[in-house]
Each structure stands twice: as structure tokens, then as C-alpha cells.
Amino acid sequence: QYNIAQVLIGVAENAPEAEVAQRRSVAERALARAQAGEDFAKLVAELSGASKENGGAIGLRGADRLPDLFVEAVRDLRPGQVAPQLLRSGAGFHVLKLVERREGGMLVTQTRA
């Protein structure tokens, strides 16, 4: 399970190339600031089109409930690390930070009749 925080710089899929380039530039600066150690929640509040609550954290979710793109980007990170690359999805550009990881463990609900 992963808890990932994100800064989302939104871009429409059919946006003009000039707008895409401008948004990419904003996202690249956000990534550089995050990698330099700037407070991630501050970046989220300032720049993100995603949820600003909880510093942009998505919440603890299984890998099957997250986009494969996100899982691949954070798979090798330690909690607190920022993904080294900018991600592009249909929603725009994402800067990702791994907040928390919980390994394995299977929950089994037992009922006694």
C-alpha cells in the first residue's frame, strides 16, 4: 500500500502546444523545488490543481487502486522521497512524493457463526 502526495499542474489533453509547454515549465520548477527540499505541502497549496488537503496526499491505497504510472514512479522510493521525474497523464503533469508505504500483510475478516 502506498500513500502518495502530488502536485498536479493541470493541462487539458487537447490544450495548445504553447499552453502545454508553459505548464510543463511550471511543473519542472515545482519538481526542482521539491527535490531541493522545499516543503511539499507549501508547493501543493501554491501550485496544485489537486486536493490541497493533507498536503496533497491521496491517502493510503493498495497498488491496485492507484494509477500504474504512480506505482511505477514510487516503487523504489523510500518514504519522504520525491519521484525523480515529472509524470504526464491525461490530467496534466504530476510531481509525486512517497509519504508512506506499508508492505504486504493481508487482512482477513473472520466470522464466527
Side-chain angles (χ1 to χ4, degrees):
Q1 291 185 323
Y2 300 95
N3 185 1
I4 300 170
Q6 70 168 331
V7 174
L8 171 62
I9 308 299
V11 180
E13 285 191 52
N14 57 354
E17 193 57 41
E19 182 181 342
V20 172
Q22 186 270 336
R23 295 299 206 158
R24 177 184 293 278
S25 176
V26 170
E28 287 171 346
R29 285 193 304 272
L31 176 61
R33 289 169 62 185
Q35 290 175 330
E38 192 166 330
D39 183 41
F40 203 81
K42 179 183 168 196
L43 291 174
V44 170
E46 179 184 331
L47 301 170
S48 187
S51 173
K52 294 175 177 31
E53 298 173 9
N54 300 323
I58 298 171
L60 198 60
R61 297 183 184 180
D64 60 333
R65 294 186 52 222
L66 290 166
D68 291 340
L69 182 70
F70 287 16
V71 174
E72 289 301 317
V74 301
R75 184 179 311 270
D76 297 326
L77 299 179
R78 291 185 313 273
Q81 287 186 311
V82 175
Q85 71 278 0
L86 197 59
L87 300 178
R88 173 76 195 261
S89 74
F93 296 100
H94 304 265
V95 177
L96 300 180
K97 177 180 179 179
L98 181 61
V99 176
E100 177 184 10
R101 175 198 324 259
R102 290 191 186 165
E103 297 293 333
M106 188 168 74
L107 294 176
V108 178
T109 303
Q110 295 183 350
T111 307
R112 186 188 312 204

